[in-house]
């Protein structure tokens, strides 16, 4: 901000006062000088603007490492991000801070970031192993977002990450179990207490947190629907129920098949018996569908450890996650059966139909062959008509 005003001194002389200010580090700083002519005042204001842009204000004293800490503290105090998101930001910045943290923020350049990204790609992983292109890209996005805020605060003139060359990994196909793997997985899960949860994941495509947050009050076994209205979250060694999903798209009603409705009805009967058996020791206030024997909630990471042995014993590959892989299988099956992309997207709780399209555009070999046969039928009909 800057402005110029005319002043008349006690002796009648005219002076032009120029003031320039910037907002940085949570406070506004002012710079002022008096000039004999308006032109000189204007020139000084312009020069001050350029000087401020070149040097930064509070950024002149901050290192990159100290600024990252300041930014994370600001995000924590603002309280707009989930703890898990903040944990991801810290993790990403922790990767690159040893490489650029000692540089003065105002002197950080695009070249510094380019060099850091190359080093991360070569040895930024666990025990000095290479870091994947996708992980380096995540680091770049977090750094860029951080430096955007530094520019808005007047600490740097421009965002050096804007022109940095971060890796651009291609799309990775969603990893879902094959029909044969899925059959073995379901067979192995049936005798276990986790079968209803696994079947729900497959039949509805719910995320892990959505499954563990599902309440009986959100299950309608007369209309065969379930409502996703809360989510179980975990971060920084803690877990909790979030009273609503992260986005409006995630808050949705999903129709369930008859087979799942019957399985959930059996589960509800068993839980009712457990409540009678345990009396006041059974936790009733959470009303969770998938809970521990005494009604206590499942920590998401603990549930993973419970299901992992079942999946591996059934021959599920390690690159297919025991629960999220079922979500991918559900989505793939919907599209393979000709369900409209918009319907599939809403069922999965995606905020943008493009996300569904980008993630599930791959098709199995037999589907591709079926498409070729369908085209063959159309072409034969056209050729036969032409001959007639």
């Amino acid at each position: 901000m800057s402005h110029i005003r005319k002043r008349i001194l006690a002796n009648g002389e005219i002076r032009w006062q120029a003031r320039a200010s910037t907002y940085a580090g949570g406070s506004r700083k002012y710079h002022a000088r008096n000039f004999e002519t308006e032109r000189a005042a204007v020139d000084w204001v312009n020069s001050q603007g350029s000087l401020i842009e070149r040097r930064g204000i509070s950024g002149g004293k901050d290192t990159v490492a100290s600024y990252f800490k300041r930014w994370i503290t600001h995000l924590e105090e603002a309280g707009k991000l989930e703890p898990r998101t903040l944990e991801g930001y810290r993790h990403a910045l922790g990767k690159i801070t040893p490489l650029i943290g000692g540089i003065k923020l105002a002197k950080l350049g695009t070249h510094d970031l380019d060099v850091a990204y190359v080093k991360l790609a070569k040895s930024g992983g666990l025990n000095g192993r290479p870091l994947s292109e996708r992980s380096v890209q995540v680091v770049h996005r977090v750094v860029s977002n951080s430096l955007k805020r530094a520019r808005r605060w007047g600490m740097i003139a421009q965002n050096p990450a804007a022109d940095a060359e971060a890796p651009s990994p291609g799309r990775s196909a969603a990893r879902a179990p094959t029909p044969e793997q899925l059959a073995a997985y379901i067979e192995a899960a049936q005798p276990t207490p986790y079968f209803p949860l696994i079947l729900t994941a497959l039949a509805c495509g719910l995320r892990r947190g959505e499954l563990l947050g599902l309440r009986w009050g959100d299950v309608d076994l007369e209309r065969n629907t379930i409502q996703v209205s809360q989510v179980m979250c975990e971060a920084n060694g803690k877990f909790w129920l979030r009273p609503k999903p992260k986005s409006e798209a995630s808050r949705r009603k999903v129709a369930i098949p008859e087979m799942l409705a019957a399985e959930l009805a059996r589960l509800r009967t068993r839980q009712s018996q457990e409540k009678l058996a345990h009396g006041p020791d059974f936790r009733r206030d959470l009303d969770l569908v998938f809970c521990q024997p005494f009604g206590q909630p499942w920590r998401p990471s603990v549930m993973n450890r419970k299901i992992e042995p079942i999946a591996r014993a059934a021959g599920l590959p390690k690159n297919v996650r025991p629960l999220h892989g079922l979500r991918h299988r559900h989505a793939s099956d919907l599209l393979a059966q000709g369900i409209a992309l918009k319907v599939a997207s809403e069922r999965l709780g995606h905020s943008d139909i493009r996300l569904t399209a980008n993630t599930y555009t791959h098709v199995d070999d037999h589907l591709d062959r079926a498409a070729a046969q369908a085209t063959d039928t159309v072409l034969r009909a056209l050729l036969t008509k032409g001959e007639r």
Side-chain angles (χ1 to χ4, degrees), residues 274-275 277-284 291-297:
E274 290 175 0
K275 289 177 182 178
H278 298 308
D281 293 332
F282 192 98
R283 184 168 182 178
R284 291 171 165 80
C291 58
Q292 298 187 53
F294 283 80
Q296 295 292 337

Side-chain angles (χ1 to χ4, degrees), residues 4 6 53 75 84 91 124-125 127 129 132-133 223 229 237 249 284 288 302 304 335 346 360 386:
I4 299 170
K6 183 179 179 179
E53 285 295 304
L75 295 178
R84 188 173 180 179
H91 180 75
N127 298 324
R129 291 197 289 267
S132 70
E133 288 187 340
R223 295 180 176 83
S229 61
R284 291 171 165 80
L288 294 175
V302 172
N304 276 2
L335 298 180
E346 291 179 353
Y360 300 106

